Amino acid sequence: MAADLTESVVALATELVRRPSRAGIDDYGPVLGVLEGWLGGRGLPHRRLYDGEGRLVGLLVEVSGGRPGPWWALDACVDTAPYGDEGAWSFPPDCGDVVDGWLRGRGAADSKLAAALFCHLAAELHGRAHDLRGGLAVLLDVDEHTGGFGGARAYLADAEAARPAGVMIGYPGLEEVVTGGRGLWRATIAVHAASGHSGSRRATVGAVSRAAHLVRLLEAAELPGTDAEFPLPPKLSVTSCHGGQGFSVVPDLCELGVDIRTTPAFDAGAAEALVRRAAAELDARLPGPRPTGITPVAAWPPYRLAEHEQPAAALLDAAAREGLAVRAKTAGPSNIGNLLAAEGIRATAGFGVRYEGLHGVDERARLAELPVVHAVYRRAVLGLLSS
């Protein structure tokens, strides 16, 4: 990667970090405006993406090759996590400066540097598109940190966009390529009880007490372990509990949030069955005025690519050819790869520069590895578009 190209990537990333784009907080117009100005100045085809309610959720760049073939996509989010306690930062969260070889500020690591890099790759390929097969899309998502992944959803729903054969997601981290992840099943649980006065002589088992009993049942439930086909076990977490107000009233409703990370051997159906069994046991042991209600909220499948499957093979091979010892990893947390897997699209994630403070204080991305990260993605994309 030539020094002037590195300087150009860092310059674009710096401008992106200096435009606050915290998910659900900031207006995304300014950060997307920087990208649109850069892309437009280089004649790259691009357009905004909107969700079904007309909200801006991303920007799509499309480079069409001169010969038939499959399309591939690069994906980087340009919305960010919130700042948290700004007083705990040692520099302004939106400073976007470079100090001692680190790009500093919220989004530097996740994933504005990757967005800048992918835009430069698209610009290079646009200049030689007639030699390529299929095409390359670059998705710049501004609805990623909400968990809604609206940019990815809008891209896949866009009738004008070519459906990609695979996607490479530019999360940071130099040692691993994420080639799989646990799925999830999430639900809210409504636990009911008879309301009453906390000072009454009549003993009342309130909704919070019944919900606490249900939490114990859920956490005591047996889950399977790992198997030869998938390296991680399922996991159940009770993530929220809301019920009651003040001190004098025994509440009649308490709502729980449950997150279950699923595997091929313990899928969404098994997760829902486990929760319904626990709810039925609660209602049998401590009957309430109404059955415990379960409302599923989200379900994504687990996924795992073999190392010979594309685009994992192209990315791992490119890393090896650039002298990097990069291992394939199945991740515990879910990511956009799960959403893509549900659509039958293979995805990788988690290859980029080294970083510190991601989603925390003093987020920064190390620039020393930027040239080799660029070389890996360039080699992988060119391989996919020429095969």
Side-chain angles (χ1 to χ4, degrees):
M1 188 178 189
D4 56 346
L5 180 56
T6 301
E7 183 178 345
S8 180
V9 171
V10 174
L12 178 56
T14 294
E15 291 303 310
L16 297 177
V17 174
R18 289 174 179 170
R19 271 62 173 189
S21 53
R22 294 164 292 178
I25 298 174
D26 296 313
D27 177 12
Y28 301 132
V31 72
L32 290 181
V34 170
L35 290 165
E36 289 172 318
W38 192 94
L39 295 165
R42 288 153 182 81
L44 278 165
H46 64 279
R47 53 196 165 88
R48 291 189 169 193
L49 297 173
Y50 298 88
D51 66 11
E53 298 180 5
R55 292 174 297 196
L56 179 62
V57 291
L59 190 67
L60 183 65
V61 185
E62 295 171 302
V63 177
S64 181
R67 294 185 287 171
W71 277 67
W72 304 90
L74 299 171
D75 173 30
C77 61
V78 290
D79 68 329
T80 73
Y83 296 154
D85 180 6
E86 295 186 46
W89 287 64
S90 63
F91 48 83
D94 60 352
C95 63
D97 58 9
V98 176
V99 176
D100 297 329
W102 293 80
L103 174 62
R104 308 191 308 173
R106 176 63 83 225
D110 185 15
S111 294
K112 292 181 176 180
L113 185 60
L117 175 61
F118 290 169
C119 286
H120 280 76
L121 280 172
E124 178 189 350
L125 295 180
H126 186 245
R128 53 188 295 185
H130 62 281
D131 294 327
L132 305 177
R133 296 184 181 275
L136 176 71
V138 176
L139 173 63
L140 304 165
D141 195 340
V142 291
D143 190 39
E144 198 267 4
H145 283 85
T146 63
F149 299 149
R153 295 180 189 275
Y155 170 38
L156 297 178
D158 191 331
E160 298 180 9
R163 194 171 185 82
V167 178
M168 290 178 281
I169 305 165
Y171 296 142
L174 197 66
E175 291 80 18
E176 300 168 337
V177 172
V178 175
T179 56
R182 287 188 293 203
L184 60 82
W185 181 84
R186 291 173 176 163
T188 57
I189 305 176
V191 180
H192 304 278
S195 61
H197 196 292
S198 60
S200 172
R201 293 183 178 183
R202 181 172 62 88
T204 303
V205 179
V208 171
S209 297
R210 294 189 75 234
H213 189 79
L214 179 57
V215 170
R216 290 192 291 270
L217 290 173
L218 290 169
E219 293 184 341
E222 291 189 14
L223 298 172
T226 60
D227 57 43
E229 299 299 321
F230 202 82
L232 297 174
K235 180 183 179 183
L236 183 152
S237 302
V238 178
T239 56
S240 65
C241 180
H242 304 285
Q245 185 175 4
F247 294 93
S248 62
V249 178
V250 177
D252 60 1
L253 175 65
C254 183
E255 293 185 324
L256 301 175
V258 177
D259 178 291
I260 301 179
R261 299 304 164 119
T262 59
T263 68
F266 190 82
D267 61 11
E272 182 169 356
L274 181 150
V275 172
R276 292 194 180 280
R277 284 195 301 270
E281 184 173 349
L282 170 71
D283 291 342
R285 290 187 183 184
L286 294 173
R290 295 168 55 189
T292 298
I294 299 168
T295 304
V297 173
W300 289 351
Y303 77 102
R304 190 181 186 202
L305 300 186
E307 294 185 23
H308 67 272
E309 292 183 282
Q310 299 292 16
L315 194 55
L316 291 167
D317 178 70
R321 290 178 181 273
E322 294 297 332
L324 297 178
V326 177
R327 62 184 180 273
K329 175 187 176 182
T330 300
S334 303
N335 57 55
I336 294 180
N338 296 87
L339 172 65
L340 296 168
E343 297 284 338
I345 298 171
R346 300 186 295 260
T348 63
F351 178 74
V353 300
R354 300 183 194 276
Y355 64 91
E356 293 179 355
L358 187 146
H359 290 191
V361 300
D362 288 354
E363 180 178 344
R364 60 181 189 163
R366 197 166 85 167
L367 300 176
E369 292 90 14
L370 184 59
V372 72
V373 170
H374 170 268
V376 169
Y377 275 109
R378 181 179 186 274
R379 184 186 290 271
V381 169
L382 285 173
L384 290 167
L385 295 175
S386 62
S387 61

